Amino acid sequence: AEWRSSGPSDTRFAEKSARRVGVLTVKRTSATSFHVMYKPDPSLGRDGQWRIYGALLGNGLTSDVRTGENAGRTLRHEFAVLTLTSKAMDNESNGFSAVVELPAGVGSAKAPSLSAAFWVTKDGSQKPVQAVGGDL
């Protein structure tokens, strides 16, 4: 699977912007390995370091609640984070790249389906600049 995003990040959690941020591409190379490439828009410059975050997400998980206000209910969970990792990206002539490993996390065997999400930040900041994701 390959995922690609070329527009500004427009998740519900990020402020929408028409500012160009570059292209983030993720290609799955094995069951747990992903090759990530980020080409920042020239307006962002090539100085500094970029950091990639990757999350393995479980979908269709359930939990039976035994106590509290939801006692006796079965709760359904989508996009629950099972594994989270980050690493500095390598500066290459055509952009920044990294290989991200997302091994099976707690609960992955119980998840009917899995997804992955990746986002890039300027090193030293937690603000996502670009994001991409999809089902595995």
PDB file of all heavy atoms in Angstrom, residues 70-97:
ATOM      1  N   ASN A  70     -20.603   3.302  33.008  1.00  0.00           N
ATOM      2  CA  ASN A  70     -20.895   2.485  31.827  1.00  0.00           C
ATOM      3  C   ASN A  70     -20.959   0.995  32.151  1.00  0.00           C
ATOM      4  O   ASN A  70     -20.877   0.163  31.254  1.00  0.00           O
ATOM      5  CB  ASN A  70     -19.837   2.737  30.743  1.00  0.00           C
ATOM      6  CG  ASN A  70     -19.982   4.098  30.122  1.00  0.00           C
ATOM      7  OD1 ASN A  70     -21.080   4.527  29.806  1.00  0.00           O
ATOM      8  ND2 ASN A  70     -18.863   4.799  29.973  1.00  0.00           N
ATOM      9  N   ALA A  71     -21.121   0.647  33.418  1.00  0.00           N
ATOM     10  CA  ALA A  71     -21.171  -0.756  33.848  1.00  0.00           C
ATOM     11  C   ALA A  71     -22.228  -1.522  33.047  1.00  0.00           C
ATOM     12  O   ALA A  71     -23.336  -1.041  32.824  1.00  0.00           O
ATOM     13  CB  ALA A  71     -21.474  -0.848  35.336  1.00  0.00           C
ATOM     14  N   GLY A  72     -21.829  -2.706  32.596  1.00  0.00           N
ATOM     15  CA  GLY A  72     -22.749  -3.559  31.848  1.00  0.00           C
ATOM     16  C   GLY A  72     -22.778  -3.265  30.354  1.00  0.00           C
ATOM     17  O   GLY A  72     -23.428  -3.991  29.604  1.00  0.00           O
ATOM     18  N   ARG A  73     -22.105  -2.240  29.910  1.00  0.00           N
ATOM     19  CA  ARG A  73     -22.095  -1.879  28.489  1.00  0.00           C
ATOM     20  C   ARG A  73     -20.847  -2.438  27.807  1.00  0.00           C
ATOM     21  O   ARG A  73     -19.820  -2.643  28.431  1.00  0.00           O
ATOM     22  CB  ARG A  73     -22.107  -0.359  28.318  1.00  0.00           C
ATOM     23  CG  ARG A  73     -23.397   0.262  28.815  1.00  0.00           C
ATOM     24  CD  ARG A  73     -23.426   1.751  28.618  1.00  0.00           C
ATOM     25  NE  ARG A  73     -23.366   2.087  27.200  1.00  0.00           N
ATOM     26  CZ  ARG A  73     -23.102   3.297  26.750  1.00  0.00           C
ATOM     27  NH1 ARG A  73     -22.851   4.288  27.582  1.00  0.00           N
ATOM     28  NH2 ARG A  73     -23.070   3.535  25.461  1.00  0.00           N
ATOM     29  N   THR A  74     -20.974  -2.668  26.527  1.00  0.00           N
ATOM     30  CA  THR A  74     -19.830  -3.029  25.700  1.00  0.00           C
ATOM     31  C   THR A  74     -19.486  -1.807  24.855  1.00  0.00           C
ATOM     32  O   THR A  74     -20.328  -1.319  24.107  1.00  0.00           O
ATOM     33  CB  THR A  74     -20.152  -4.231  24.793  1.00  0.00           C
ATOM     34  OG1 THR A  74     -20.466  -5.356  25.632  1.00  0.00           O
ATOM     35  CG2 THR A  74     -18.984  -4.575  23.896  1.00  0.00           C
ATOM     36  N   LEU A  75     -18.271  -1.313  25.013  1.00  0.00           N
ATOM     37  CA  LEU A  75     -17.833  -0.135  24.275  1.00  0.00           C
ATOM     38  C   LEU A  75     -17.003  -0.557  23.073  1.00  0.00           C
ATOM     39  O   LEU A  75     -16.208  -1.482  23.149  1.00  0.00           O
ATOM     40  CB  LEU A  75     -17.026   0.796  25.181  1.00  0.00           C
ATOM     41  CG  LEU A  75     -17.747   1.300  26.430  1.00  0.00           C
ATOM     42  CD1 LEU A  75     -16.829   2.217  27.225  1.00  0.00           C
ATOM     43  CD2 LEU A  75     -19.033   2.025  26.062  1.00  0.00           C
ATOM     44  N   ARG A  76     -17.195   0.125  21.970  1.00  0.00           N
ATOM     45  CA  ARG A  76     -16.468  -0.153  20.726  1.00  0.00           C
ATOM     46  C   ARG A  76     -15.435   0.951  20.511  1.00  0.00           C
ATOM     47  O   ARG A  76     -15.721   2.122  20.714  1.00  0.00           O
ATOM     48  CB  ARG A  76     -17.456  -0.199  19.564  1.00  0.00           C
ATOM     49  CG  ARG A  76     -16.847  -0.619  18.270  1.00  0.00           C
ATOM     50  CD  ARG A  76     -17.944  -0.790  17.209  1.00  0.00           C
ATOM     51  NE  ARG A  76     -17.385  -0.972  15.900  1.00  0.00           N
ATOM     52  CZ  ARG A  76     -17.056  -2.141  15.383  1.00  0.00           C
ATOM     53  NH1 ARG A  76     -17.247  -3.235  16.077  1.00  0.00           N
ATOM     54  NH2 ARG A  76     -16.553  -2.223  14.177  1.00  0.00           N
ATOM     55  N   HIS A  77     -14.232   0.549  20.089  1.00  0.00           N
ATOM     56  CA  HIS A  77     -13.133   1.495  19.910  1.00  0.00           C
ATOM     57  C   HIS A  77     -12.604   1.418  18.481  1.00  0.00           C
ATOM     58  O   HIS A  77     -12.301   0.343  17.980  1.00  0.00           O
ATOM     59  CB  HIS A  77     -11.997   1.188  20.894  1.00  0.00           C
ATOM     60  CG  HIS A  77     -12.476   1.028  22.300  1.00  0.00           C
ATOM     61  ND1 HIS A  77     -12.831   2.081  23.102  1.00  0.00           N
ATOM     62  CD2 HIS A  77     -12.680  -0.089  23.044  1.00  0.00           C
ATOM     63  CE1 HIS A  77     -13.220   1.641  24.282  1.00  0.00           C
ATOM     64  NE2 HIS A  77     -13.137   0.318  24.269  1.00  0.00           N
ATOM     65  N   GLU A  78     -12.488   2.578  17.848  1.00  0.00           N
ATOM     66  CA  GLU A  78     -11.913   2.682  16.504  1.00  0.00           C
ATOM     67  C   GLU A  78     -10.657   3.538  16.581  1.00  0.00           C
ATOM     68  O   GLU A  78     -10.581   4.480  17.361  1.00  0.00           O
ATOM     69  CB  GLU A  78     -12.916   3.314  15.533  1.00  0.00           C
ATOM     70  CG  GLU A  78     -14.230   2.569  15.409  1.00  0.00           C
ATOM     71  CD  GLU A  78     -14.105   1.177  14.814  1.00  0.00           C
ATOM     72  OE1 GLU A  78     -13.118   0.909  14.082  1.00  0.00           O
ATOM     73  OE2 GLU A  78     -14.981   0.343  15.080  1.00  0.00           O
ATOM     74  N   PHE A  79      -9.675   3.215  15.782  1.00  0.00           N
ATOM     75  CA  PHE A  79      -8.420   3.961  15.686  1.00  0.00           C
ATOM     76  C   PHE A  79      -7.724   4.088  17.042  1.00  0.00           C
ATOM     77  O   PHE A  79      -7.193   5.140  17.380  1.00  0.00           O
ATOM     78  CB  PHE A  79      -8.648   5.338  15.048  1.00  0.00           C
ATOM     79  CG  PHE A  79      -9.266   5.254  13.674  1.00  0.00           C
ATOM     80  CD1 PHE A  79     -10.589   5.601  13.470  1.00  0.00           C
ATOM     81  CD2 PHE A  79      -8.519   4.781  12.602  1.00  0.00           C
ATOM     82  CE1 PHE A  79     -11.167   5.503  12.212  1.00  0.00           C
ATOM     83  CE2 PHE A  79      -9.089   4.686  11.345  1.00  0.00           C
ATOM     84  CZ  PHE A  79     -10.414   5.046  11.146  1.00  0.00           C
ATOM     85  N   ALA A  80      -7.738   3.006  17.812  1.00  0.00           N
ATOM     86  CA  ALA A  80      -7.020   2.971  19.095  1.00  0.00           C
ATOM     87  C   ALA A  80      -5.531   2.769  18.811  1.00  0.00           C
ATOM     88  O   ALA A  80      -5.143   1.889  18.041  1.00  0.00           O
ATOM     89  CB  ALA A  80      -7.545   1.829  19.960  1.00  0.00           C
ATOM     90  N   VAL A  81      -4.691   3.602  19.401  1.00  0.00           N
ATOM     91  CA  VAL A  81      -3.247   3.515  19.165  1.00  0.00           C
ATOM     92  C   VAL A  81      -2.692   2.267  19.850  1.00  0.00           C
ATOM     93  O   VAL A  81      -2.800   2.104  21.058  1.00  0.00           O
ATOM     94  CB  VAL A  81      -2.524   4.777  19.667  1.00  0.00           C
ATOM     95  CG1 VAL A  81      -1.015   4.632  19.497  1.00  0.00           C
ATOM     96  CG2 VAL A  81      -3.034   6.014  18.932  1.00  0.00           C
ATOM     97  N   LEU A  82      -2.086   1.389  19.054  1.00  0.00           N
ATOM     98  CA  LEU A  82      -1.488   0.152  19.555  1.00  0.00           C
ATOM     99  C   LEU A  82       0.032   0.279  19.649  1.00  0.00           C
ATOM    100  O   LEU A  82       0.656  -0.311  20.525  1.00  0.00           O
ATOM    101  CB  LEU A  82      -1.854  -1.024  18.645  1.00  0.00           C
ATOM    102  CG  LEU A  82      -3.351  -1.242  18.403  1.00  0.00           C
ATOM    103  CD1 LEU A  82      -3.557  -2.345  17.376  1.00  0.00           C
ATOM    104  CD2 LEU A  82      -4.064  -1.557  19.700  1.00  0.00           C
ATOM    105  N   THR A  83       0.629   0.993  18.715  1.00  0.00           N
ATOM    106  CA  THR A  83       2.065   1.228  18.681  1.00  0.00           C
ATOM    107  C   THR A  83       2.301   2.660  18.216  1.00  0.00           C
ATOM    108  O   THR A  83       1.668   3.105  17.266  1.00  0.00           O
ATOM    109  CB  THR A  83       2.765   0.278  17.677  1.00  0.00           C
ATOM    110  OG1 THR A  83       2.512  -1.063  18.057  1.00  0.00           O
ATOM    111  CG2 THR A  83       4.256   0.509  17.629  1.00  0.00           C
ATOM    112  N   LEU A  84       3.220   3.371  18.871  1.00  0.00           N
ATOM    113  CA  LEU A  84       3.574   4.738  18.480  1.00  0.00           C
ATOM    114  C   LEU A  84       5.088   4.854  18.486  1.00  0.00           C
ATOM    115  O   LEU A  84       5.746   4.426  19.442  1.00  0.00           O
ATOM    116  CB  LEU A  84       2.972   5.754  19.448  1.00  0.00           C
ATOM    117  CG  LEU A  84       3.334   7.222  19.205  1.00  0.00           C
ATOM    118  CD1 LEU A  84       2.766   7.703  17.876  1.00  0.00           C
ATOM    119  CD2 LEU A  84       2.807   8.086  20.341  1.00  0.00           C
ATOM    120  N   THR A  85       5.645   5.404  17.418  1.00  0.00           N
ATOM    121  CA  THR A  85       7.086   5.577  17.327  1.00  0.00           C
ATOM    122  C   THR A  85       7.409   6.871  16.611  1.00  0.00           C
ATOM    123  O   THR A  85       6.574   7.421  15.891  1.00  0.00           O
ATOM    124  CB  THR A  85       7.739   4.376  16.594  1.00  0.00           C
ATOM    125  OG1 THR A  85       9.148   4.462  16.720  1.00  0.00           O
ATOM    126  CG2 THR A  85       7.349   4.332  15.140  1.00  0.00           C
ATOM    127  N   SER A  86       8.611   7.381  16.805  1.00  0.00           N
ATOM    128  CA  SER A  86       9.077   8.545  16.063  1.00  0.00           C
ATOM    129  C   SER A  86      10.587   8.448  15.873  1.00  0.00           C
ATOM    130  O   SER A  86      11.278   7.767  16.634  1.00  0.00           O
ATOM    131  CB  SER A  86       8.721   9.846  16.791  1.00  0.00           C
ATOM    132  OG  SER A  86       9.542  10.042  17.908  1.00  0.00           O
ATOM    133  N   LYS A  87      11.069   9.133  14.854  1.00  0.00           N
ATOM    134  CA  LYS A  87      12.511   9.153  14.610  1.00  0.00           C
ATOM    135  C   LYS A  87      12.857  10.331  13.710  1.00  0.00           C
ATOM    136  O   LYS A  87      12.002  10.831  12.971  1.00  0.00           O
ATOM    137  CB  LYS A  87      12.989   7.837  14.009  1.00  0.00           C
ATOM    138  CG  LYS A  87      12.505   7.564  12.612  1.00  0.00           C
ATOM    139  CD  LYS A  87      12.868   6.187  12.082  1.00  0.00           C
ATOM    140  CE  LYS A  87      14.336   5.923  12.026  1.00  0.00           C
ATOM    141  NZ  LYS A  87      14.679   4.651  11.402  1.00  0.00           N
ATOM    142  N   ALA A  88      14.114  10.755  13.795  1.00  0.00           N
ATOM    143  CA  ALA A  88      14.609  11.817  12.929  1.00  0.00           C
ATOM    144  C   ALA A  88      14.696  11.286  11.497  1.00  0.00           C
ATOM    145  O   ALA A  88      15.020  10.123  11.272  1.00  0.00           O
ATOM    146  CB  ALA A  88      15.974  12.287  13.409  1.00  0.00           C
ATOM    147  N   MET A  89      14.406  12.156  10.545  1.00  0.00           N
ATOM    148  CA  MET A  89      14.480  11.771   9.140  1.00  0.00           C
ATOM    149  C   MET A  89      15.847  12.140   8.583  1.00  0.00           C
ATOM    150  O   MET A  89      16.466  13.121   9.006  1.00  0.00           O
ATOM    151  CB  MET A  89      13.368  12.460   8.344  1.00  0.00           C
ATOM    152  CG  MET A  89      11.974  12.083   8.817  1.00  0.00           C
ATOM    153  SD  MET A  89      10.665  12.811   7.817  1.00  0.00           S
ATOM    154  CE  MET A  89      10.695  11.686   6.412  1.00  0.00           C
ATOM    155  N   ASP A  90      16.326  11.341   7.621  1.00  0.00           N
ATOM    156  CA  ASP A  90      17.604  11.597   6.970  1.00  0.00           C
ATOM    157  C   ASP A  90      17.424  12.647   5.885  1.00  0.00           C
ATOM    158  O   ASP A  90      16.473  12.589   5.095  1.00  0.00           O
ATOM    159  CB  ASP A  90      18.152  10.304   6.341  1.00  0.00           C
ATOM    160  CG  ASP A  90      18.464   9.247   7.381  1.00  0.00           C
ATOM    161  OD1 ASP A  90      18.926   9.624   8.486  1.00  0.00           O
ATOM    162  OD2 ASP A  90      18.245   8.056   7.098  1.00  0.00           O
ATOM    163  N   ASN A  91      18.352  13.604   5.826  1.00  0.00           N
ATOM    164  CA  ASN A  91      18.338  14.658   4.814  1.00  0.00           C
ATOM    165  C   ASN A  91      18.995  14.120   3.552  1.00  0.00           C
ATOM    166  O   ASN A  91      20.157  13.746   3.564  1.00  0.00           O
ATOM    167  CB  ASN A  91      19.082  15.882   5.348  1.00  0.00           C
ATOM    168  CG  ASN A  91      18.919  17.087   4.454  1.00  0.00           C
ATOM    169  OD1 ASN A  91      18.523  16.984   3.302  1.00  0.00           O
ATOM    170  ND2 ASN A  91      19.233  18.245   4.989  1.00  0.00           N
ATOM    171  N   GLU A  92      18.213  14.049   2.468  1.00  0.00           N
ATOM    172  CA  GLU A  92      18.713  13.561   1.192  1.00  0.00           C
ATOM    173  C   GLU A  92      18.563  14.658   0.155  1.00  0.00           C
ATOM    174  O   GLU A  92      17.881  15.652   0.396  1.00  0.00           O
ATOM    175  CB  GLU A  92      17.959  12.302   0.770  1.00  0.00           C
ATOM    176  CG  GLU A  92      18.132  11.165   1.757  1.00  0.00           C
ATOM    177  CD  GLU A  92      17.375   9.913   1.363  1.00  0.00           C
ATOM    178  OE1 GLU A  92      16.608   9.956   0.385  1.00  0.00           O
ATOM    179  OE2 GLU A  92      17.557   8.895   2.039  1.00  0.00           O
ATOM    180  N   SER A  93      19.146  14.479  -0.999  1.00  0.00           N
ATOM    181  CA  SER A  93      19.124  15.515  -2.025  1.00  0.00           C
ATOM    182  C   SER A  93      17.713  15.845  -2.506  1.00  0.00           C
ATOM    183  O   SER A  93      17.426  16.971  -2.873  1.00  0.00           O
ATOM    184  CB  SER A  93      19.994  15.106  -3.216  1.00  0.00           C
ATOM    185  OG  SER A  93      19.507  13.905  -3.781  1.00  0.00           O
ATOM    186  N   ASN A  94      16.820  14.859  -2.499  1.00  0.00           N
ATOM    187  CA  ASN A  94      15.465  15.103  -2.996  1.00  0.00           C
ATOM    188  C   ASN A  94      14.420  15.193  -1.881  1.00  0.00           C
ATOM    189  O   ASN A  94      13.230  15.103  -2.146  1.00  0.00           O
ATOM    190  CB  ASN A  94      15.071  14.025  -4.003  1.00  0.00           C
ATOM    191  CG  ASN A  94      15.104  12.641  -3.399  1.00  0.00           C
ATOM    192  OD1 ASN A  94      15.674  12.428  -2.330  1.00  0.00           O
ATOM    193  ND2 ASN A  94      14.498  11.687  -4.077  1.00  0.00           N
ATOM    194  N   GLY A  95      14.841  15.355  -0.638  1.00  0.00           N
ATOM    195  CA  GLY A  95      13.894  15.481   0.476  1.00  0.00           C
ATOM    196  C   GLY A  95      14.430  14.805   1.721  1.00  0.00           C
ATOM    197  O   GLY A  95      15.638  14.671   1.905  1.00  0.00           O
ATOM    198  N   PHE A  96      13.518  14.349   2.553  1.00  0.00           N
ATOM    199  CA  PHE A  96      13.874  13.697   3.813  1.00  0.00           C
ATOM    200  C   PHE A  96      13.232  12.321   3.830  1.00  0.00           C
ATOM    201  O   PHE A  96      12.101  12.153   3.375  1.00  0.00           O
ATOM    202  CB  PHE A  96      13.373  14.534   4.998  1.00  0.00           C
ATOM    203  CG  PHE A  96      14.039  15.880   5.073  1.00  0.00           C
ATOM    204  CD1 PHE A  96      13.560  16.946   4.336  1.00  0.00           C
ATOM    205  CD2 PHE A  96      15.150  16.069   5.877  1.00  0.00           C
ATOM    206  CE1 PHE A  96      14.178  18.187   4.389  1.00  0.00           C
ATOM    207  CE2 PHE A  96      15.774  17.306   5.939  1.00  0.00           C
ATOM    208  CZ  PHE A  96      15.291  18.367   5.195  1.00  0.00           C
ATOM    209  N   SER A  97      13.944  11.324   4.373  1.00  0.00           N
ATOM    210  CA  SER A  97      13.397   9.971   4.366  1.00  0.00           C
ATOM    211  C   SER A  97      13.708   9.262   5.671  1.00  0.00           C
ATOM    212  O   SER A  97      14.592   9.662   6.430  1.00  0.00           O
ATOM    213  CB  SER A  97      13.949   9.165   3.192  1.00  0.00           C
ATOM    214  OG  SER A  97      15.299   8.849   3.410  1.00  0.00           O
TER     215      SER A  97
END
